[in-house]
Amino acid sequence: MMYRLLADAAMVVHFAFLAYLVVGGFVAWVWRWTIWAHLAAVTWGVLSVVVGLECPLTLVEDWARRAGGEPGLPPSGFIDHYIEGVIYPEEYTNLVRLGVAVLIVFSYVGYVLRRQ
């Protein structure tokens, strides 16, 4: 039971991180100090896509599910399991990544303009 709770908590935190990755630049329009946390999140996101850096939340969720007797995450990871092919078709992955990047750039431009 505790393993299931840990796995589910890791999944929820992972979704929250992804949501923050997408909209965190806009959050910084209101709370300016959060831009540093968002820059760290964007850096992690870029590294995970470009270099293939594995997310510790994925590792925790996979370990907890397996320890609790459930099937773990597939080797392809969190995004492939919960998002690609579920929220959008897999063939649109690059388009979604581009959309997220454009949204982040737009939020940073707005952040800079609001600071002036």
Side-chain angles (χ1 to χ4, degrees):
M1 177 69 170
M2 290 305 293
Y3 291 117
R4 171 74 188 266
L5 290 174
L6 179 60
D8 289 347
M11 178 188 61
V12 168
V13 170
H14 214 152
F15 273 112
F17 175 82
L18 291 175
Y20 183 70
L21 179 68
V22 174
V23 300
F26 297 105
V27 170
W29 288 15
V30 178
W31 296 296
R32 294 178 186 221
W33 59 271
T34 64
I35 196 68
W36 299 110
H38 193 255
L39 283 168
V42 168
T43 300
W44 183 268
V46 168
L47 287 173
S48 69
V49 169
V50 174
V51 181
L53 208 58
E54 194 160 6
C55 181
L57 291 169
T58 301
L59 297 174
V60 167
E61 181 185 354
D62 183 57
W63 171 82
R65 294 213 184 279
R66 290 178 193 278
E70 297 179 33
L73 292 176
S76 55
F78 179 88
I79 300 287
D80 288 346
H81 183 69
Y82 290 112
I83 297 176
E84 285 181 359
V86 177
I87 295 177
Y88 59 85
E90 193 172 332
E91 60 266 16
Y92 293 118
T93 298
N94 289 331
L95 185 60
V96 170
R97 287 177 180 170
L98 177 63
V100 168
V102 166
L103 203 58
I104 290 169
V105 168
F106 179 76
S107 73
Y108 283 6
V109 168
Y111 173 81
V112 169
L113 291 175
R114 289 177 63 91
R115 277 195 75 187
Q116 294 178 352

